[in-house]
Amino acid sequence: MVRLSDVAARAGVSMGSASRVVNGHPGVRPEIRERVRTAARELGYRPDPLAQGLRARRSRLVTLVVPDITNPFFAELARELELDCAARGYQLVLRNSMESPATEYDALLSALDHRPSGIVVVPTAGTTALPATGDVPLVVCDRRLPGGAAPTVVSDNRQGASAATAYLMGLGHRRIACLAGPPGVHAADERLAGYLALTGGTPEGHGPVVRGPFDYATGQRAARELLDLDRPPTAILAGSDQQAIGVLHACLNRGLRVPDDISVCGFDAIALSALTSPALTTVRQPVRRIAARAMEFLLGPRPPDPAGFPAPAGADDCAGAGDSVGARDSAGARGSTGARDSTGAADSAGASDSAGARDSTVAGSSTRAADPSAPHSDVRNAPAPHPAEPDADLPHPAAPVLVSLPTELVVRASCAPPPEGTRTP
Amino acid sequence: MVRLSDVAARAGVSMGSASRVVNGHPGVRPEIRERVRTAARELGYRPDPLAQGLRARRSRLVTLVVPDITNPFFAELARELELDCAARGYQLVLRNSMESPATEYDALLSALDHRPSGIVVVPTAGTTALPATGDVPLVVCDRRLPGGAAPTVVSDNRQGASAATAYLMGLGHRRIACLAGPPGVHAADERLAGYLALTGGTPEGHGPVVRGPFDYATGQRAARELLDLDRPPTAILAGSDQQAIGVLHACLNRGLRVPDDISVCGFDAIALSALTSPALTTVRQPVRRIAARAMEFLLGPRPPDPAGFPAPAGADDCAGAGDSVGARDSAGARGSTGARDSTGAADSAGASDSAGARDSTVAGSSTRAADPSAPHSDVRNAPAPHPAEPDADLPHPAAPVLVSLPTELVVRASCAPPPEGTRTP
DNA sequence: CTGAAAGCGCTAACAA
DNA sequence: TTGTTAGCGCTTTCAG
């Protein structure tokens, strides 16, 4: 193993200088800089993250806690987060809470032991509070905590469900059932709310509502239940694609044709949803952007790729252009104040949201300065971040950020107008 | 943050003693032991894994590199590995190679920087060699590397495919198509071999063979292709459940009934396979045991759960009792020699295999002593592992272990006898 | 602008 | 049996 001292020796300089060069600190004579770089290259020097971590009291780890990685939506989220981490030189630690608040809590605690650079958590249904993270930034994804106690990135579930409902109603459906996720899970509640918002005011009132876990089996069970009703619905709005696929199969098993006899709509737009038959009409969650936003929150804006690959165009979720948020956009208000890194983000409450963040690092917008030690960022022009304004030292003045990303209705083949004779009862 | 020195101070002992107690080293006066424990508890002491890692030149991390966590099979594998890690006090680092050998290589390199306790890798199709891991144990899972250059845990893909083929043939099928995974992926090749072994000798010869990625889309595409043949097959044996589901949908879309018109068989038994309609007949890979075996190889036998939960009965893959291996079982031959931890395992070549490993830690069977620093294992009776026999110092004398776990045919509803008139051409 | 030195928190020798 | 001490590899004052 080659240590920094080896590099320093070979370059004929002190460890201090070697370290400064390797970390791209300014104020090193170009000649020295060059010698160190050469030595490092020749020796194949790789800094030891453990030692760096011990010193910096921070490891280059980002911990993700999900209920169950086996859920395709979480798998996609994990993948995006991991890819983002990798691009930044971080590693993603994966933990499954198995929907158990206690397990989740333990996972968080032991994650904290490793002093990660950040934590992303998709809380269980039963989670009421998270352990104190000290100075480790944490962001809640996909679901929301009661009280919004932590910075959160979600998609606009209510809007998504409303869009789907509206679409179904536009098709002529009047008896739309809603299969919603488990009570207490914010995403589930929101989707239900989005559905109720449109159907509740209807002359017929809203259709039957069933709730249960976001899984396949629940979809099957619920569909059977719904189909056994006196006047079965002509459309079922599911709370997840997994549920929807369960519903689909249950309907098919009953000999119903989808969408001719009954329409089914999912939520999430997982990869599989495009490949069922019929392909599932569903609501796309912008997983990529959720992941990007979460990472951005934890680690600051993603540095431009060193090698200079001009961002592989073709992200699949660039549909909705601007993010929709229930708060003012305060992108500019941050950078210049050099907000300190603490669990809460920048300053006042509300969501900060710079649209099109993925395109590239927004020019003037400086970072959250969460972790100023970019890996090998020899290149970086790091202008020695100004120490934070004193006011940033307040004990996390309850400034929970909430970013709510717009979803997108993906119209495929599983929905159609209701069969004749069911339009009006 | 509370350090060991704090604990020591409070207990009125030296750091050395405190350390010894915390790490369960023998030879500490009970009274001291008690005082330290109390102090630690009262202070809520948690050792700093970074510092431990720096010292021990080993972090409590296990890195998993998979092609794509979005693949349900890998997600299941990841979950099992993670759960196992968690139970041992380790953390699982997740990396996606995206089927790119270069990405995989980088992932491995940066993983190595963190000095993980072990590495599990599911190699890409293009992987020919892995970087040297130094003294970090590495195990290949699910797929095999050409040349079997590394210790490997796989399921017996050939046997599984043969079982499925035999089943189909027994049903009366004579024109069985095989949709196999990508060439170069060992699991794919093996499954194909298992199929050919039975159909090749048949009077009709084997049916059409198509190859492609293990994904849904490939299933659809291939099915269409197969169905367009002059004499389409009466059964399709897919290389994965994802493919099979694609096949299923393609068939359904063509108006074919499954299994009445055509039979479809999958491979893997992912959760979803039970929930399609018809439910998929498939070959179960013992994911749990694969994961358990891999972890066991890396970290040694899993210590009995401290709290004493008597192992939540009901593992879903306890079907085949003994593992089938192409080598002698040398379980006893290991422990007593106190094999050193190096990339290669115990001693001579061949697979070592102690059946029923999950039941509990086999009594007398001592560990590989890979990482003698069990977490807080105050309890452990660690008999100061004898220094390895000198012969263990040989430069990894090409002793690749290969464990091949039996699969199990899961008969569900997607296969039936061929339609009348197709039995004999 | 560069070098020397002090630790980060912990464990393992080595002494006592 | 217990205490003392020397680092693990790195970054960062602090002098020069």
Side-chain angles (χ1 to χ4, degrees):
Chain A
M1 135 140 275
V2 25
R3 294 155 314 223
L4 186 56
S5 60
D6 300 324
V7 175
R10 178 175 246 255
V13 300
S14 72
M15 280 187 61
S17 295
S19 174
R20 284 185 281 260
V21 171
V22 165
N23 293 290
H25 288 191
V28 180
R29 193 150 32 101
E31 186 216 326
I32 299 247
R33 179 179 299 281
E34 206 37 62
R35 269 194 300 171
V36 172
R37 283 215 266 240
T38 307
R41 199 176 324 112
E42 291 174 349
L43 260 29
Y45 171 70
R46 316 206 80 192
D48 180 334
L50 259 59
Q52 290 182 312
L54 179 57
R55 205 41 264 254
R57 347 193 80 260
R58 185 108 310 164
S59 70
R60 299 192 149 287
L61 261 29
V62 170
T63 296
L64 168 67
V65 184
V66 292
D68 185 350
I69 191 61
T70 266
N71 175 323
F73 179 75
F74 298 144
E76 289 187 15
L77 181 63
R79 182 181 59 186
E80 299 310 326
L81 288 170
E82 195 276 314
L83 262 16
D84 202 325
C85 277
R88 294 165 177 262
Y90 286 70
Q91 302 213 218
L92 212 232
V93 173
L94 174 69
R95 296 294 240 135
N96 296 93
S97 64
M98 302 316 284
E99 287 288 4
S100 150
T103 304
E104 177 181 79
Y105 197 87
D106 285 352
L108 254 8
L109 280 191
S110 49
L112 251 8
D113 286 341
H114 287 257
R115 304 180 163 289
S117 297
I119 298 182
V120 180
V121 46
V122 178
T124 71
T127 304
T128 54
L130 267 15
T133 61
D135 61 349
V136 177
L138 174 149
V139 58
V140 168
C141 260
D142 182 57
R143 301 179 177 178
R144 277 169 72 181
L145 238 31
T152 305
V153 180
V154 294
S155 40
D156 193 337
N157 292 294
R158 187 186 297 233
Q159 165 250 328
S162 284
T165 309
Y167 171 67
L168 254 12
M169 292 174 78
L171 248 25
H173 291 275
R174 291 296 172 269
R175 274 204 311 285
I176 306 173
C178 183
L179 167 50
V185 174
H186 194 270
D189 295 338
E190 281 293 290
R191 290 173 198 172
L192 178 54
Y195 157 85
L196 290 176
L198 292 203
T199 56
T202 266
E204 297 87 352
H206 65 77
V209 171
V210 185
R211 310 200 63 163
F214 280 126
D215 58 27
Y216 304 99
T218 297
Q220 293 201 301
R221 213 167 21 239
R224 283 195 279 265
E225 187 177 322
L226 255 11
L227 261 19
D228 282 338
L229 257 27
D230 279 350
R231 293 172 65 248
T234 61
I236 300 180
L237 176 64
S240 73
D241 283 344
Q242 299 199 80
Q243 286 185 345
I245 291 170
V247 169
L248 209 58
H249 290 147
C251 292
L252 264 19
N253 277 339
R254 289 279 183 118
L256 293 174
R257 289 162 308 159
V258 179
D260 310 85
D261 298 325
I262 188 168
S263 293
V264 177
C265 182
F267 209 111
D268 286 347
I270 61 177
L272 177 58
S273 69
L275 296 147
T276 54
S277 60
L280 211 51
T281 289
T282 185
V283 176
R284 165 167 297 139
Q285 292 208 58
V287 200
R288 299 272 270 270
R289 294 178 68 198
I290 293 178
R293 265 340 195 43
M295 290 298 293
E296 214 169 285
F297 176 82
L298 297 178
L299 270 24
R302 183 164 153 184
D305 280 322
F309 291 110
D316 71 0
D317 55 28
C318 294
D323 299 350
S324 94
V325 193
R328 62 204 171 277
D329 185 316
S330 56
R334 300 202 307 182
S336 46
T337 70
R340 266 283 221 58
D341 63 312
S342 52
T343 294
D347 30 53
S348 51
S352 60
D353 209 38
S354 54
R358 280 190 76 85
D359 300 338
S360 71
T361 299
V362 181
S365 128
S366 99
T367 143
R368 275 187 64 249
D371 188 350
S373 57
H376 312 210
S377 59
D378 214 343
V379 212
R380 167 190 67 172
N381 52 349
H386 313 273
E389 304 288 325
D391 74 73
D393 266 357
L394 297 179
H396 307 183
V401 176
L402 168 62
V403 177
S404 177
L405 267 12
T407 61
E408 179 197 3
L409 182 66
V410 182
V411 175
R412 293 200 281 238
S414 65
C415 297
E420 288 306 321
T422 58
R423 291 251 176 163
T424 348
Chain B
M1 133 139 278
V2 25
R3 294 156 314 227
L4 186 56
S5 59
D6 299 325
V7 175
R10 178 174 245 255
V13 301
S14 74
M15 279 187 62
S17 295
S19 174
R20 283 185 282 259
V21 171
V22 165
N23 293 290
H25 288 194
V28 180
R29 192 148 35 102
E31 186 217 324
I32 298 249
R33 179 180 298 282
E34 206 37 62
R35 268 194 300 169
V36 171
R37 282 215 265 241
T38 306
R41 197 174 328 111
E42 290 174 348
L43 259 29
Y45 170 70
R46 317 205 79 191
D48 180 334
L50 259 58
Q52 291 181 310
L54 179 56
R55 189 75 242 267
R57 349 192 80 259
R58 185 109 312 166
S59 69
R60 299 191 150 288
L61 261 29
V62 171
T63 295
L64 168 67
V65 184
V66 292
D68 185 349
I69 189 63
T70 266
N71 176 323
F73 179 75
F74 298 143
E76 290 186 14
L77 181 63
R79 183 182 57 186
E80 298 310 326
L81 287 170
E82 194 276 315
L83 262 16
D84 202 324
C85 276
R88 292 165 179 264
Y90 286 69
Q91 301 213 215
L92 211 232
V93 173
L94 175 69
R95 296 293 240 136
N96 296 93
S97 64
M98 302 316 284
E99 287 288 4
S100 151
T103 304
E104 177 180 78
Y105 197 87
D106 284 353
L108 254 9
L109 280 191
S110 49
L112 251 8
D113 286 341
H114 286 257
R115 304 179 162 289
S117 298
I119 298 182
V120 179
V121 46
V122 178
T124 72
T127 303
T128 53
L130 268 15
T133 60
D135 61 349
V136 177
L138 175 150
V139 58
V140 167
C141 259
D142 183 56
R143 301 180 179 179
R144 277 169 72 180
L145 239 30
T152 305
V153 180
V154 294
S155 41
D156 192 337
N157 292 294
R158 186 185 298 232
Q159 165 251 330
S162 284
T165 307
Y167 172 67
L168 255 11
M169 293 174 78
L171 249 23
H173 291 276
R174 290 297 171 269
R175 276 204 311 287
I176 304 174
C178 183
L179 166 51
V185 174
H186 193 270
D189 294 339
E190 281 294 290
R191 290 172 200 174
L192 178 54
Y195 158 84
L196 290 176
L198 292 202
T199 56
T202 266
E204 298 86 352
H206 65 76
V209 171
V210 186
R211 310 198 62 163
F214 280 125
D215 57 28
Y216 303 100
T218 298
Q220 292 201 301
R221 215 169 17 242
R224 282 196 280 263
E225 188 178 321
L226 254 12
L227 261 18
D228 282 338
L229 257 28
D230 279 350
R231 292 174 63 249
T234 61
I236 300 180
L237 176 63
S240 74
D241 284 343
Q242 299 198 81
Q243 286 185 345
I245 292 170
V247 168
L248 208 59
H249 290 146
C251 292
L252 263 19
N253 277 338
R254 288 279 183 118
L256 293 174
R257 289 162 307 158
V258 179
D260 310 85
D261 298 325
I262 187 169
S263 293
V264 177
C265 183
F267 208 110
D268 286 348
I270 61 176
L272 178 57
S273 68
L275 296 147
T276 55
S277 60
L280 211 52
T281 289
T282 185
V283 176
R284 166 167 297 138
Q285 293 207 57
V287 200
R288 299 271 270 271
R289 294 178 68 198
I290 293 178
R293 267 335 197 43
M295 290 298 294
E296 214 169 285
F297 177 82
L298 299 178
L299 269 25
R302 182 164 154 184
D305 280 322
F309 291 110
D316 69 1
D317 54 30
C318 293
D323 298 351
S324 93
V325 193
R328 63 203 171 279
D329 186 314
S330 56
R334 302 200 307 179
S336 47
T337 70
R340 266 280 221 61
D341 63 312
S342 53
T343 295
D347 30 53
S348 52
S352 60
D353 210 39
S354 55
R358 280 190 76 85
D359 300 339
S360 72
T361 299
V362 181
S365 129
S366 101
T367 142
R368 273 189 62 249
D371 189 350
S373 57
H376 312 211
S377 58
D378 215 341
V379 211
R380 167 190 66 172
N381 52 347
H386 312 273
E389 305 289 324
D391 73 73
D393 266 356
L394 298 179
H396 305 184
V401 176
L402 168 61
V403 176
S404 178
L405 267 13
T407 60
E408 177 197 5
L409 182 67
V410 182
V411 175
R412 291 200 281 237
S414 65
C415 297
E420 288 307 321
T422 58
R423 290 247 176 165
T424 348

